[in-house]
């Protein structure tokens, strides 16, 4: 009886040992040499696999950098620091002209400032609301504030303020652009991280129309463009937009002169 | 039983997932999109067919002569786990594209109960070595059928409104249950009618 137990123990132990040794030998014989830079590049990346670079994850991007000489500045969550670290590993110089971007809601409308056509009582989701007559607000270009971007944000950078407006915390935002993709009215847009003033309106309607439905909407009056040469504003399609290519000195003046006060400082 | 019979049996009649409820972990875990479901399906088919042959050899030439048949479960787990590791290394060495397609799934099935299940079923059905191999392939194809169908269902379900308590895994299990119910239509009577 005892012998049986012993045999059973011995045979399983032997089988296990044989397989173990076999695997150990195989792992030595069959080991594949990997470029060491791949792992160090991967360590320098944030490792959150957000996909903003266009690759399946940080590991895939690391491989592309080493094997296919992919550009080093595609990682927007990592920003400048990561790009510098990658440049050190790969022994390259890079140009830091426009790297870190953040999402920004280009709308300052809420229940107080704008009128609505009807009451929306459906699913709490911007895309669902947008399917139904492009949302309840008379303005079809503004923020619906039903929070689709809040739910999709991987780092919880987006919150709904007490006044009903959607706010993106630009220090948390990793520029994955998921909120830009999900937003049905395209009011969520990317701006450079160091930008200061922006035009908080997304409506290309004519001024007279905008004035009827929203008290803070851009009316396309061109005061910011014409009176402030160094304001860096441009009006196209009845809608002003701020230029972010360099620093402008007259932004504040233009903001004060704006009749509906659509030009706002980024919070 | 002929080989066609074995194929039909393990793909439809006693599908490992939908009839025996084996291998539910990868079935729920990797069925979120069709692409990875197909990858997982091929990886499981590959491992099952090899594991069926190797476990048959171990059973016939090691366990029976030593009169240790009652140790088959533990011996099979050992053999399958090391086999999968070995296969992973070999694939990595000889074929980079195949490793890219199957590589990430292989560690997930080292101790998968569906692989062990088909190995044990081959033994209890007294299959020959070729029949065991066929059984392995058939069980793998059955797994692939179930997981690809499931992935398609879940992809479509993502677009539908699902009440909050049911979102994600609960809904997946409910649909898996309904699928299993549908697969009950395939039974041995159908097989005998088909093959005369």
């Amino acid at each position: 009886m005892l012998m049986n137990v012993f045999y059973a123990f011995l045979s399983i132990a032997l089988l296990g040992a044989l397989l173990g040794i076999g695997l150990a030998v195989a792992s030595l014989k069959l080991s594949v040499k990997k470029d060491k830079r791949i792992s160090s590049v991967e360590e320098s990346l944030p490792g959150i696999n957000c996909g903003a670079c266009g690759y399946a994850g940080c590991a895939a991007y690391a491989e592309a950098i080493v094997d296919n000489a992919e550009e080093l500045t595609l990682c927007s969550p990592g920003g400048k620091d990561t790009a510098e670290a990658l440049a050190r590993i790969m022994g390259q110089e890079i140009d830091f002209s426009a790297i870190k971007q953040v999402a920004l809601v280009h709308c300052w409308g809420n229940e107080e400032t704008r009128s609505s056509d009807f009451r929306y009582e459906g699913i709490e989701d911007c895309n669902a609301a947008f399917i139904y007559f492009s949302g309840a607000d008379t303005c079809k270009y503004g923020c619906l504030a039903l929070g689709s971007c809040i739910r999709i944000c991987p780092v919880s950078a987006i919150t709904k303020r007490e006044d009903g407006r959607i706010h993106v915390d630009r220090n948390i935002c990793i520029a994955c652009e998921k909120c830009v993709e999900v937003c049905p009215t395209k009011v969520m847009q990317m701006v450079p991280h160091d930008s200061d003033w922006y035009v908080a309106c997304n409506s290309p309607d004519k001024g007279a129309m905008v004035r009827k439905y929203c008290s803070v909407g851009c009316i396309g009056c061109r005061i910011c463009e014409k009176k402030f040469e160094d304001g860096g504003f441009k009006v196209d399609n009845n809608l002003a937009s701020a230029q972010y290519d360099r620093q402008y000195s007259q932004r504040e003046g233009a903001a004060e002169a704006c009749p509906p006060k659509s030009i706002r400082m980024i919070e | 039983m002929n080989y066609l019979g074995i194929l039909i049996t393990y793909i439809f009649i006693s599908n490992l997932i939908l009839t025996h409820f084996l291998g539910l972990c990868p079935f729920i875990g990797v069925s979120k999109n069709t692409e990875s479901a197909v990858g997982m399906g091929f990886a499981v088919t590959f491992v099952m067919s090899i594991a069926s042959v190797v476990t048959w050899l171990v059973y016939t030439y090691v366990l029976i002569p030593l009169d240790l048949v009652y140790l088959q479960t533990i011996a099979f787990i050992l053999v399958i786990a090391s086999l999968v590791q070995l296969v992973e290394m070999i694939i990595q060495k000889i074929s980079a594209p195949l490793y890219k397609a199957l590589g990430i799934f292989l560690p997930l099935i080292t101790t998968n109960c569906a692989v062990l299940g088909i190995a044990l079923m081959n033994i209890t059905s007294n299959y020959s070595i070729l029949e065991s191999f066929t059984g392995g392939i058939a069980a793998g194809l059955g797994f692939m059928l179930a997981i690809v169908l499931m992935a398609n269902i879940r992809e479509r379900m993502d677009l539908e409104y699902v009440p909050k308590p049911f979102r994600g895994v609960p809904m997946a299990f409910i649909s898996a249950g309904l699928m299993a119910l549908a697969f009950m239509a395939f039974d041995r009577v159908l097989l005998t009618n088909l093959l005369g």
Side-chain angles (χ1 to χ4, degrees), chain A residues 196-244:
Chain A
D196 42 8
W197 298 84
Y198 74 114
V199 179
C201 183
N202 190 38
S203 165
D205 278 342
K206 288 218 169 86
M209 279 261 297
V210 175
R211 229 187 255 272
K212 266 184 210 157
Y213 60 64
C214 181
S215 62
V216 293
C218 172
I219 51 176
C221 64
R222 293 179 185 264
I223 289 178
C224 53
E225 186 185 35
K226 286 189 176 151
K227 288 203 176 161
F228 299 90
E229 270 176 21
D230 197 38
F233 290 98
K234 232 182 120 178
V235 180
D236 258 336
N237 228 349
N238 303 312
L239 178 62
S241 58
Q243 310 294 305
Y244 298 114

Side-chain angles (χ1 to χ4, degrees), chain A residues 4-5 7-9 11-12 15-16 19-20 22-23 26-32 34 63 123, chain B residues 58 62-63 66 68 70-71 74-76 78-79 81-83 85-86 89-90 92-93 100 161:
Chain A
N4 278 346
V5 175
Y7 278 135
F9 169 76
S11 46
I12 289 295
L15 189 66
L19 291 169
L23 278 182
S27 74
L28 284 180
K29 289 230 162 189
L30 298 173
S31 67
V32 177
K34 259 191 163 180
E63 233 168 79
I123 307 167
Chain B
V58 168
V62 179
L63 296 183
L66 290 174
L68 290 171
Y70 61 93
L71 285 177
I74 193 162
F76 283 6
L78 251 174
V79 171
S82 358
L83 178 76
Q85 295 288 320
L86 186 68
M89 286 181 211
I90 293 173
Q92 194 174 9
K93 182 80 180 174
K100 247 187 185 154
Y161 177 72

